[in-house]
Amino acid sequence: LTHETEILQSIGGYVNWTHKDSNGQTPLFTIFRSYDQQNYEEMVKASFQCAVKWYQKNTKSFCFFDHEDNKGNTLLHILKRSASLLLRWDNININAANKKGLTALMVYAKYNRLENVKAILEDKRILIGKTQYPFYLTCFDYAKNPVILNEIAMESAKGSTLGLAFVHTLKYENTRWILHVTIRPEGTDSLDTVKLSLRSLQNLFRTISKIYAMSFVPLEESFERLSILGKMRFSLVGRLETLCLNKALTNCFIAHLF
């Protein structure tokens, strides 16, 4: 059934689409999770249409909560492609977290689902900065592909004050702590993500502080705190404080770019 579109369309009206197996997975969930089929997108679309018609036949409105499994995964979490098919619906919670605290965007970033990342970022309901409790990880921490990281960062930068800059990721690379900053270069409409070592950033801030000695922006203080936190690699408190400081550093960049 998970591979035969024509059979599915023929018997779809007789399937109880809300029935769950021992893992809490409905027929629709199972089809969405069958990643090995060659016509994956076609099957996803056909099964979803069948399920919607079944609800209508039974005088009900399609309910996404009916298709959440025992681990808290929603249909949006498990989609390999075609996330836009579900995002058209008003009653879908696109920021819902599963029992591990992962949102759909985090899952897409983790498993390299670029098409879905682009689709969900276009939705105005998305909360990009949502954290995974209790680890205080964000979608930026799960984005290993630089293309996906850049997509998320650019959308975040657009939503920042004046849309000029966004500080988002602190990673340990090649024996150095690297800060990822997405900025809008002066005189352009495009956004670029750059990597700055903490030492380089510290030197930059010190230079700016000397040039603008009367500036109210606490560059040095913010950076010193971030530098200390960089050494607290496995601290949950450190992760939370880093998130707060990233916001402070974002404001520092914006103040000097404006």
Side-chain angles (χ1 to χ4, degrees), residues 16 36 47 51 106 110 116 124 128 214-215 251:
N16 182 350
D36 60 335
S47 60
M106 292 176 188
K110 181 178 181 180
N116 285 354
K124 295 182 179 179
I128 299 176
M214 302 301 292
S215 173
N251 292 331

Side-chain angles (χ1 to χ4, degrees), residues 136 170 222 225-226 228-230 232 235-249:
Y136 299 110
L170 178 66
S222 296
R225 290 176 60 194
L226 186 59
I228 293 172
L229 287 172
M232 301 166 61
S235 171
L236 295 182
V237 175
R239 290 187 186 277
L240 179 58
E241 290 190 24
T242 299
L243 289 174
C244 295
L245 274 175
N246 281 349
K247 294 180 180 179
L249 288 171

Side-chain angles (χ1 to χ4, degrees), residues 185-228:
E186 186 177 357
T188 68
D189 293 327
S190 61
L191 290 161
D192 296 317
T193 298
V194 296
K195 294 181 180 182
L196 297 172
S197 68
L198 293 190
R199 185 177 296 276
S200 297
L201 192 56
Q202 187 176 33
N203 292 335
L204 173 62
F205 282 2
R206 283 174 177 166
T207 301
I208 293 176
S209 296
K210 290 179 181 178
I211 297 174
Y212 303 100
M214 302 301 292
S215 173
F216 65 90
V217 182
L219 293 175
E220 188 66 25
E221 178 185 350
S222 296
F223 182 77
E224 289 296 338
R225 290 176 60 194
L226 186 59
S227 182
I228 293 172

Side-chain angles (χ1 to χ4, degrees), residues 7-233:
I7 296 178
L8 175 65
Q9 292 173 331
S10 298
I11 67 172
Y14 304 100
V15 174
N16 182 350
W17 291 94
T18 60
H19 181 75
K20 293 187 175 183
D21 60 16
S22 58
N23 295 315
Q25 298 178 2
T26 62
L28 188 60
F29 191 102
T30 301
I31 293 174
F32 278 25
R33 197 74 179 268
S34 301
Y35 302 136
D36 60 335
Q37 49 189 312
Q38 294 180 348
N39 56 337
Y40 178 79
E41 294 180 64
E42 185 181 348
M43 281 297 297
V44 164
K45 184 177 181 179
S47 60
F48 187 66
Q49 289 176 340
C50 287
V52 170
K53 289 180 180 179
W54 180 85
Y55 273 88
Q56 293 172 343
K57 180 181 177 181
N58 289 275
T59 64
K60 298 179 181 179
S61 297
F62 185 86
C63 179
F64 285 94
F65 182 74
D66 290 343
H67 304 275
E68 184 177 307
D69 73 354
N70 295 342
K71 296 180 180 180
N73 291 305
T74 67
L75 294 176
L76 202 57
H77 277 90
I78 63 170
L79 264 182
K80 185 178 180 180
R81 292 187 298 274
S82 303
S84 57
L85 178 68
L86 304 185
L87 294 172
R88 300 168 187 164
W89 290 70
D90 294 331
N91 63 334
I92 186 171
N93 181 2
I94 71 172
N95 299 298
N98 61 20
K99 291 185 178 179
K100 289 185 177 180
L102 296 170
T103 64
L105 178 56
M106 292 176 188
V107 173
Y108 298 159
K110 181 178 181 180
Y111 294 109
N112 233 4
R113 297 172 184 172
L114 180 58
E115 178 189 321
N116 285 354
V117 167
K118 289 182 176 180
I120 201 169
L121 287 177
E122 291 177 356
D123 196 302
K124 295 182 179 179
R125 295 170 292 180
I126 189 67
L127 298 176
I128 299 176
K130 188 168 182 176
T131 58
Q132 179 192 12
Y133 182 80
F135 307 111
Y136 299 110
L137 297 174
T138 68
C139 55
F140 294 103
D141 296 298
Y142 285 102
K144 307 304 179 184
N145 184 333
V147 176
I148 288 180
L149 180 64
N150 193 52
E151 286 286 339
I152 300 174
M154 286 195 297
E155 194 61 34
S156 298
K158 291 176 184 177
S160 67
T161 306
L162 303 177
L164 294 176
F166 187 74
V167 179
H168 48 86
T169 310
L170 178 66
K171 291 185 178 181
Y172 194 72
E173 300 177 5
N174 299 322
T175 70
R176 296 185 304 168
W177 285 99
I178 302 295
L179 196 67
H180 295 239
V181 185
T182 299
I183 61 174
R184 186 187 303 276
E186 186 177 357
T188 68
D189 293 327
S190 61
L191 290 161
D192 296 317
T193 298
V194 296
K195 294 181 180 182
L196 297 172
S197 68
L198 293 190
R199 185 177 296 276
S200 297
L201 192 56
Q202 187 176 33
N203 292 335
L204 173 62
F205 282 2
R206 283 174 177 166
T207 301
I208 293 176
S209 296
K210 290 179 181 178
I211 297 174
Y212 303 100
M214 302 301 292
S215 173
F216 65 90
V217 182
L219 293 175
E220 188 66 25
E221 178 185 350
S222 296
F223 182 77
E224 289 296 338
R225 290 176 60 194
L226 186 59
S227 182
I228 293 172
L229 287 172
K231 300 174 184 178
M232 301 166 61
R233 194 171 183 182

